[in-house]
Amino acid sequence: MSDEAGRRAAPVKLTMPEIRAAKGRTPLVMVTAYDAPTARLAAEAGVDLLLVGDSVGTAVLGYESTVPVTVEDILHHCRAVRRGAPDLHLVADLPFMSYQVSDEQAVANAGLLVKEGGADAVKLEGGRGMAARVAAITAAGIPVMGHVGLTPQTAGALGGLKVQGRDLDGARSVLHDAEAVVDAGAYSLVVEVVPAALGRLITERVRVPTIGIGAGPDCDGQVLVGPDLLGLTLGHLPRFVRPYADLATTIREAFAAYARDVRARSYPAPAHTYAMKPDVVAALRDDPDR
Ligand code: KIV
């Protein structure tokens, strides 16, 4: 239920059947968030799903890649996002090496993100090689969002952060990955940085909603990294990002104006200060105990 600007009257948490039923219908809107106020604003704006992505590493924590991000990092940000948006479907990323070792490790860490982080579901990167993990976590009663195509945690093995599935073999491989993850029980699937035609084909072939990022317009939904769409990312932006604001400029200008005002003593102004009765001031000045 949204108004003309796409905002819902009040945030409504989508259930798993509702997310599945969104396939082929109104596109699902997903965005990453890492803190409570941003999560709240996204909820007020009518976003459908929030992701505490391991992109927190590059977007917020100052790392060069997502590899150093830990389960504790995701937990910390997940709790904040849950406090900011108690009524939105919240997905938490399983970071690098928090699920690759064994099914037991994957289930235990997924459980932590749900029990202690307040997540409704977890997301993990990988295709056929990770199908067993998807099955194990799903069997434990935790919904899993898959993630195929460009998988930044293993970008080194993929030859860098580049488009996946451009040639026949590559496209077949991504398609088989998508099918394997869905067959293993994933309730939805992120498809990252593949040609639009492949994004469309995967969307046609799998029975769960695909959520594209750099995968063309035909996916069942779209996700963007919050700071990218808000214009808060300093440096290179991938081709698929459309910035909807320029918050970096707004913030830089605000800090500069504050610095100017402090140095000119025009801030704080009388409106920002607290008064004391003149007789108290006078008594204080003459206080023999000072
Ligand atoms: O971590 C993240 O932000 C993601 C999105 C790019 C889907 O995985």
Side-chain angles (χ1 to χ4, degrees):
M1 215 70 89
S2 27
D3 67 13
E4 280 168 15
R7 287 181 296 255
R8 281 205 235 96
V12 182
K13 193 193 268 201
L14 291 176
T15 62
M16 228 47 80
E18 283 169 339
I19 291 171
R20 283 209 199 85
K23 179 149 189 84
R25 298 167 71 173
T26 315
L28 291 165
V29 181
M30 180 160 162
V31 69
T32 71
Y34 317 108
D35 61 73
T38 307
R40 179 172 163 178
L41 292 172
E44 287 173 2
V47 161
D48 296 313
L49 301 97
L50 288 177
L51 169 65
V52 178
D54 60 358
S55 52
V56 68
T58 47
V60 170
L61 300 178
Y63 294 131
E64 290 289 321
S65 79
T66 57
V67 168
V69 175
T70 64
V71 173
E72 286 68 32
D73 290 331
I74 299 287
L75 255 183
H76 178 74
H77 290 275
C78 202
R79 289 191 192 109
V81 166
R82 179 46 91 207
R83 286 191 287 269
D87 299 318
L88 273 197
H89 184 87
L90 174 58
V91 182
D93 245 347
L94 280 165
F96 186 55
M97 279 301 141
S98 70
Y99 58 97
Q100 284 89 345
V101 176
S102 65
D103 286 355
E104 290 73 18
Q105 182 210 30
V107 173
N109 282 322
L112 268 182
L113 295 177
V114 170
K115 275 168 74 93
E116 296 183 21
D120 296 300
V122 297
K123 177 170 82 58
L124 61 83
E125 295 183 7
R128 284 156 285 180
M130 287 298 140
R133 301 289 183 271
V134 174
I137 300 170
T138 307
I142 299 172
V144 179
M145 179 177 280
H147 182 155
V148 299
L150 176 61
T151 47
Q153 290 175 13
T154 46
L158 298 174
L161 292 171
K162 55 187 201 190
V163 185
Q164 300 297 303
R166 269 199 147 134
D167 61 15
L168 184 58
D169 283 349
R172 273 197 188 123
S173 177
V174 178
L175 195 52
H176 291 157
D177 280 342
E179 288 170 337
V181 166
V182 172
D183 286 347
Y187 76 103
S188 57
L189 184 67
V190 166
V191 182
E192 180 163 358
V193 192
V194 299
L198 182 56
R200 179 180 182 146
L201 200 63
I202 294 171
T203 301
E204 286 167 2
R205 291 275 176 91
V206 301
R207 59 185 173 278
V208 303
T210 56
I211 303 182
I213 172 161
D218 297 313
C219 294
D220 299 300
Q222 298 289 331
V223 56
L224 278 179
V225 169
D228 286 354
L229 86 86
L230 295 172
L232 266 175
T233 300
L234 309 173
H236 171 75
L237 267 189
R239 170 193 170 89
F240 58 79
V241 175
R242 179 184 288 169
Y244 285 85
D246 182 9
L247 295 195
T249 300
T250 305
I251 291 172
R252 199 180 291 113
E253 285 175 1
F255 284 145
Y258 167 64
R260 255 191 330 268
D261 287 355
V262 169
R263 289 179 187 131
R265 295 195 184 281
S266 64
Y267 176 83
H272 308 119
T273 61
Y274 303 93
M276 195 185 232
K277 287 189 178 139
D279 55 326
V280 179
V281 178
L284 210 51
R285 283 194 188 286
D286 301 337
D287 192 350
D289 291 342
R290 77 186 147 141

